[in-house]
Structure formats: C-alpha cells, structure tokens
Amino acid sequence: MSIEDSIRVTERTMREMHLLPFQLAVKHANPWSFMTGYHRTNGVHGSEDPWLMEKILRGDWGWGGLVMSDWFGTYSTAEAINAGLDLEMPGPSRWRAKLLHWAVMCRKVKERTIDDRVRNLLNLVNKVRPALAHVPDGQEGDTPEKRQICRRVASESIVLLKNTKSILPLDPSARRTYGLIGPGMSLPAVSGRGSADLVPHYVSTPLDAITEVVGEESVRSAIGSHNHLFTPLLSKNISVPGTEQPGYLLGWFNENPEVISHQEAIHTTTTTQAQMYFADSLPANVPGCYWLRFGLCVLGKGKLHIDDDMVVDLFSSQPPKTLQTPMFNQASMEVTAEVNVELGKQYQLGVLLRNDSVVAGVGALSAGGLRVECCEKLDAATALAGAVDLAKQVDVPIIVAGLNSDYESEAIDRKSLSLPPAIDELILKVAQANPNTVVITQSGCPITMPWVDQVPTLLHAWFGGQETGHGIADVLFGKVNPSGRLSITFPRRLEDTPTFLTFGKGQRDIMYGEGVFIGYRYYEKLLRRPLFYFGYGLSYTTFTYSNLQVPDSFRLKNDKDSLDVSVEVKEDLRTHERTLGGLRPNHSATHMLKHLATAIFS
C-alpha cells in the first residue's frame, strides 16, 4: 500500500483478526522492535497513530521495545514522536534533527517524550550489541548446518494436496524413467521480490536434485513453456572481463565514458547480481549524477551492447508503461532483443547507464538501477508439443511450474488468481498425455487450478529458498513425509473470495467490508466449499482420530487461562513402514493434531 491509501476497518475486526498475530508474537516471543506501515488506518498514518503504538502495543499488550518507521515512512516531526515512534528510518533523518530542535523549543514535543524515545533506542542497542558479539566465527555465512536447516524448512513446508492413485512416494530404486517438465525445473521460485528478495548462496534446482537421486540415465527434461513476466536474470555463465571470476565489472564515471574513453573510474567493484538497484548504498565518492559502465530494463537511461553491437536502446527513448515494472515500478518497460549465439562461444556484454529521470516518492531512495536478462527463445507451440511428447515416452512426468517473484512482489497487487495461461495449458496437456503425472506448483499466495480434476498427484511447494530442489526431491522420493498444511485458503475462483466486492473498488479508501469473515471463516459461513481449505494437507501415511474430549462449556477470562482438549490419534504403521521406512512415525500425526485444534477453535 502507498502513503495515500487508507484502510477503513472496525475495531473488532482489527483486534480479532489483523492485530491478533502481532499480539501472539508479543506474548510468545517478545520481539525487540516493530515497524509501522506506509498507509493510513481509518485516516491516521501508522507512524502517527497513538492508538496503535501507545494504546494497543504498549498499553494493552504491555510491550516495551522500539518502534521504527518503514523506510521513508515517517511523515511528520511532532505528531510521530508524540504518537510513539522511536526511530525514523532510514538515516540521515529528514523529520528530526533540526526540525525536532524547533519542535522542542516551541513545546510541541516535551523533553520527557524525547527521553522515552531515546531510552527505547538505547535499550535496543544494548540488546543487539552483546548478541552480535557472541556470533561464532564462521557462522555468519554459508555452513553445512545452515544448509540442512534450509533443506528441512523447504521439505517440511511442502503440502501434499492430492495423491489419489498413490503414485507418491516414488521409489528411487525402481527402474523408471522421469520426464522433468516446466520452467520451475531449472528456474525454481525461491523468494518474492522487493524486501523479500534475498540473494542466496546457491540455488538447488529440482532438475539437479532429482537427477542426484535417480541418475542422469533415468532423466529427460523439457521446459514446455516460459512463465515469467520479465526475462530471467543473467546470473550464470558470466565472468569479469579478463578473469575467470564469476560476475560483472562495474565502474562509475563523472562523464560519459563513450565520449571520454580514457577517464579514470571514480569507483569500481564486481558483483554476481544481474539486477542492480542502487537505492541508498552508493560508494561515498560517487556524485548524485553519474555514468555506469561494466563490462536490460533500466531505472534511468541505458543501452546494451553485445560485443560491438548495440542491441537494446533505452537511452534515446523508452516505451510507455503498460504494466508494473521492477524496482518498485520505477524501472522502464523491458525491451528485448533476439541474438543468435553459438554454443561454447564467449560474448562481451556492456551496459551504459545514466541515472536520469529517477522517480521521486518512495523511489527517493533510488539512484538508478538495471537488470541484465537472458533466456532461450521458445516457440510456444513447439515447446508445448515437446513436453507432451516427452510425457508420453516416460514412466512418470513431473511438472514444476507456477508463479515467481515477477508476479508476487512488494508494491504490486496481482490482478487475478490465475497462473499464466500457457502454464495451465501445459499442466492440462501433460496430465492428459500420461496418467502418472505429478504436478508441483509454486506460489506464495492462492492460485486457481482449472485442471485440478485431471491431475491425480499434486504438491504445493511455495517459494522454497536456496534448497528448493532438494526439498522437493526429499518429498517426492519419501525421504520426508509431507507434513505441511495450507496457511491460507485456496478459492476455486476470484469471485468466491471474501474481498471481491470491496477490494480495489475505491481510489484511495480501501474498505475492509468482509469484517471478521476472512479466509476459512467466510467459506464456512456461506457454506461454500473452496478449492482447498486453510489447514488442508495430506500425508503418505493414514490416520484415524477418535474420542475427542472438549469441555461442555468454558469461558477464558484472560490470555493466561487454558483448557484441556484431548483426542486419540492412531496411525497405520503398516502403511508407514511400507512407504517411508524409518522416518519419525508421529511427525505427521503431530501436524494433524495441530490442524484438529485449529478446527476446534475456529
């Protein structure tokens, strides 16, 4: 949401639904800090709202940490400080410093209020300093222990949605052939975009991970279709000019290096990142207006050369915006060029960037940016036909496809719940070609599945981080018993969602007209079955639960009261032993019990 947006919502809805997760975090984890949002709630910006910060957070919940603003999410001096905002982010301050001096001088802000804000800041500093001092040497980067944690998180979060023919788990020792299909096989979705976009140490792909399990002789692959909005970043098979070091060479210049070719760069560095968003971290000696050359969608003006040929010109002119673009919608529309390349040949890429026409607003933290992108050109019909043919020739086709960070990003609303049309067609055609098809979808939010009745085996893998591939392979081949449960409801269609009649219908006022009836509450109230309920998830084992014991009547007087609920859960150990060997037998039973408790209290 932007700074102009205002949410209209009742206090009951706020306390019962939207504030409750934060209240639980305060109760069970006592976080050191909170951050306010950009938008207004009932007409008041979060960074200026004493009801949120003082009445609810510090008063009702008894919390005593630091409250900071989102980046450039402070809009006043006296109002924000008096409302409870301790820290304006990022620095250097725009609304405090000299402005705060005058606010104190005219007594719009009292000195004891300043003392409170400074005390909260110093308390946080005193908590963070010893914690950082005790980080063991070598534990701040990539370690085997951290890889195992990432792999476990990736595998245990995967949700088994359908397994009607008991195709899963697959037997890695069986003499089978596998057709690995879909864009997610080689380019899995590992995170969202915006502040969710982190650069992993590596990415385990499903193609590589499955090949590790069954061997290259059992695996064939076909992409079937692209599913990106923006051409994938060129982050592999690149090297700094004149070296074997992976990455790009960057140099900042005062003047256009195409005109003054022998000038010294103000600053140089290397990077392996193919998207470079120069927000608030430029080298100290780089001026506000600069030229960049190393060696495309751009934030500023730019052009791309391959060897000596200019193939993309976003310097002379840029196409009008018709879609959301990267870098918080500040970048230009993507312009692509088709280039014939030869296998094994090296090419020199060069981008000239000038940070002109940078947008103000939240983009005030921008000093230019660019994306270097590349992928194989596909003929859609030929790629689809190749995937279908492959599915007919193998024992088990496995599709990995869905959404990615192009679709799910900070500062962007999706326009529908649909997958790209080509992906829906790919899944349907492959499933029709081979009844043993296994479909693995990736998204961070609900998607519609018009092909769901045609697919016997379905997993949802979310955005799995750097161990996405191994996590998927561990579940497919029974190393991990799927124990994930849906954290959100998947509706059958957009029109079935509780916000359909209100969200996006106003200009700046966003009415939370659904009240407390969000998610599964809405579907249960209307007796309307969604595609998959909140909390849904299957297992490779079978369970029965019986003898549910719940008090006939109870009333919790405060958040420290409790009540006893019991249920008997029995697992079919024969099924467990047949499919998974020595895995923890109660692992999925525990998750089932948690799901049952959720159902009781909803």
Side-chain angles (χ1 to χ4, degrees):
M1 293 184 180
S2 70
I3 61 176
E4 298 93 349
D5 293 334
S6 181
I7 294 171
R8 300 292 174 176
V9 57
T10 66
E11 182 173 346
R12 179 197 170 189
T13 299
M14 283 282 288
R15 287 183 177 271
E16 190 171 321
M17 304 305 300
H18 303 289
L19 290 176
L20 182 59
F22 300 97
Q23 184 178 5
L24 293 174
V26 168
K27 178 180 178 180
H28 297 293
N30 192 26
W32 292 353
S33 65
F34 275 91
M35 184 173 72
T36 60
Y38 290 114
H39 59 274
R40 296 179 173 93
T41 301
N42 296 326
V44 182
H45 280 117
S47 59
E48 301 174 358
D49 195 337
W51 183 78
L52 281 175
M53 290 183 281
E54 294 296 311
K55 173 69 171 65
I56 300 294
L57 190 56
R58 292 183 170 123
D60 295 351
W61 299 350
W63 179 78
L66 175 136
V67 180
M68 70 179 75
S69 73
D70 204 337
W71 267 231
F72 298 99
T74 305
Y75 313 119
S76 63
T77 301
E79 292 90 336
I81 288 178
N82 291 333
L85 186 72
D86 299 306
L87 179 63
E88 174 190 356
M89 290 297 291
S93 174
R94 297 179 303 162
W95 290 98
R96 303 196 173 188
K98 291 183 179 180
L99 292 179
L100 179 56
H101 169 78
W102 290 109
V104 173
M105 287 283 290
C106 67
R107 301 189 62 79
K108 284 191 173 183
V109 176
K110 298 179 180 178
E111 290 186 12
R112 67 170 178 266
T113 303
I114 301 296
D115 291 341
D116 290 340
R117 303 292 158 257
V118 173
R119 186 178 297 109
N120 290 337
L121 178 60
L122 293 178
N123 285 340
L124 179 64
V125 170
N126 290 334
K127 290 177 181 178
V128 170
R129 183 179 294 159
L132 292 177
H134 288 87
V135 175
D137 291 339
Q139 294 298 306
E140 66 278 0
D142 184 23
T143 66
E145 293 78 15
K146 290 181 179 179
R147 291 187 175 201
Q148 280 301 117
I149 292 173
C150 291
R151 184 166 181 166
R152 180 179 176 185
V153 170
S155 61
E156 292 190 2
S157 64
I158 292 173
V159 184
L160 179 61
L161 297 176
K162 291 186 71 175
N163 196 22
T164 54
K165 296 176 62 177
S166 298
I167 294 173
L168 297 181
L170 301 169
D171 184 354
S173 63
R175 291 181 175 272
R176 285 178 170 177
T177 55
Y178 299 91
L180 308 187
I181 298 170
M185 278 295 175
S186 298
L187 290 173
V190 298
S191 71
R193 182 163 290 151
S195 297
D197 187 8
L198 301 176
V199 180
H201 295 287
Y202 59 90
V203 174
S204 164
T205 70
L207 177 60
D208 291 339
I210 294 172
T211 302
E212 288 176 18
V213 176
V214 300
E216 292 184 2
E217 66 280 357
S218 299
V219 170
R220 295 170 60 189
S221 64
I223 187 171
S225 172
H226 287 316
N227 72 330
H228 53 257
L229 286 176
F230 313 115
T231 304
L233 295 170
L234 181 57
S235 301
K236 294 182 178 180
N237 302 316
I238 55 173
S239 60
V240 175
T243 74
E244 296 183 358
Q245 175 187 347
Y248 294 96
L249 173 66
L250 289 80
W252 281 267
F253 299 84
N254 267 328
E255 303 293 339
N256 186 347
E258 288 188 329
V259 176
I260 307 176
S261 58
H262 299 294
Q263 63 176 305
E264 289 289 330
I266 300 171
H267 181 82
T268 61
T269 188
T270 61
T271 180
T272 58
Q273 299 183 42
Q275 174 167 305
M276 304 164 214
Y277 178 35
F278 306 118
D280 52 357
S281 56
L282 285 175
N285 58 339
V286 172
C289 184
Y290 62 87
W291 293 81
L292 170 67
R293 182 175 68 183
F294 59 93
L296 201 237
C297 190
V298 298
L299 176 48
K301 294 180 177 181
K303 43 190 169 183
L304 170 65
H305 290 81
I306 298 180
D307 289 340
D308 295 326
D309 299 325
M310 184 174 68
V311 296
V312 175
D313 183 2
L314 286 168
F315 206 98
S316 302
S317 63
Q318 297 183 1
K321 284 190 180 182
T322 58
L323 298 171
Q324 289 280 141
T325 64
M327 305 176 211
F328 300 100
N329 201 33
Q330 299 171 80
S332 68
M333 289 288 290
E334 179 185 85
V335 173
T336 61
E338 297 177 5
V339 180
N340 291 322
V341 295
E342 299 177 20
L343 183 65
K345 182 178 178 181
Q346 289 189 339
Y347 297 85
Q348 181 171 338
L349 276 68
V351 175
L352 178 70
L353 173 74
R354 181 176 172 85
N355 62 328
D356 283 350
S357 305
V358 172
V359 181
V362 176
L365 52 84
S366 298
L370 70 153
R371 288 169 54 95
V372 183
E373 309 155 337
C374 182
C375 71
E376 180 186 1
K377 181 187 175 183
L378 291 182
D379 177 80
T382 302
L384 176 60
V388 172
D389 288 343
L390 176 59
K392 294 176 180 178
Q393 298 169 22
V394 297
D395 297 316
V396 182
I398 303 173
I399 302 174
V400 180
L403 302 180
N404 54 33
S405 61
D406 289 359
Y407 299 89
E408 298 195 51
S409 169
E410 181 181 3
I412 295 176
D413 288 326
R414 289 165 60 198
K415 302 301 182 183
S416 77
L417 300 183
S418 301
L419 294 177
I423 298 301
D424 280 333
E425 185 180 12
L426 172 66
I427 293 173
L428 181 60
K429 292 290 180 63
V430 170
Q432 290 173 342
N434 190 322
N436 294 327
T437 296
V438 176
V439 176
I440 303 166
T441 53
Q442 285 196 277
S443 72
C445 293
I447 55 176
T448 52
M449 304 177 181
W451 35 261
V452 69
D453 293 334
Q454 310 296 319
V455 172
T457 311
L458 175 61
L459 291 161
H460 190 71
W462 312 102
F463 293 169
Q466 65 187 35
E467 283 288 347
T468 294
H470 285 135
I472 288 174
D474 287 348
V475 170
L476 287 176
F477 292 96
K479 188 174 182 179
V480 170
N481 190 2
S483 56
R485 301 293 182 261
L486 291 182
S487 56
I488 44 180
T489 298
F490 279 44
R492 291 188 178 274
R493 56 180 194 152
L494 179 64
E495 291 80 0
D496 292 341
T497 57
T499 63
F500 179 71
L501 291 177
T502 53
F503 180 77
K505 304 305 186 289
Q507 289 297 315
R508 290 300 180 188
D509 277 359
I510 302 172
M511 184 66 66
Y512 278 26
E514 69 277 10
V516 299
F517 297 103
I518 67 173
Y520 67 90
R521 290 184 172 201
Y522 174 80
Y523 296 98
E524 290 180 349
K525 192 70 174 177
L526 268 63
L527 300 178
R528 178 171 296 170
R529 180 175 292 277
L531 187 62
F532 295 107
Y533 271 108
F534 161 80
Y536 183 86
L538 304 176
S539 169
Y540 292 155
T541 56
T542 56
F543 303 90
T544 59
Y545 49 92
S546 59
N547 195 25
L548 175 64
Q549 301 291 324
V550 181
D552 293 334
S553 62
F554 58 87
R555 182 178 181 85
L556 301 180
K557 297 180 180 179
N558 56 59
D559 60 5
K560 295 182 179 180
D561 282 357
S562 63
L563 59 112
D564 293 327
V565 176
S566 64
V567 66
E568 294 179 8
V569 180
K570 185 177 181 181
E571 181 179 13
D572 184 350
L573 293 180
R574 293 173 300 174
T575 303
H576 176 81
E577 292 169 357
R578 182 173 68 251
T579 59
L580 294 169
L583 276 182
R584 299 188 298 275
N586 291 326
H587 182 64
S588 289
T590 301
H591 281 264
M592 177 171 283
L593 193 57
K594 291 180 179 178
H595 173 48
L596 179 62
T598 301
I600 292 171
F601 291 106
S602 66

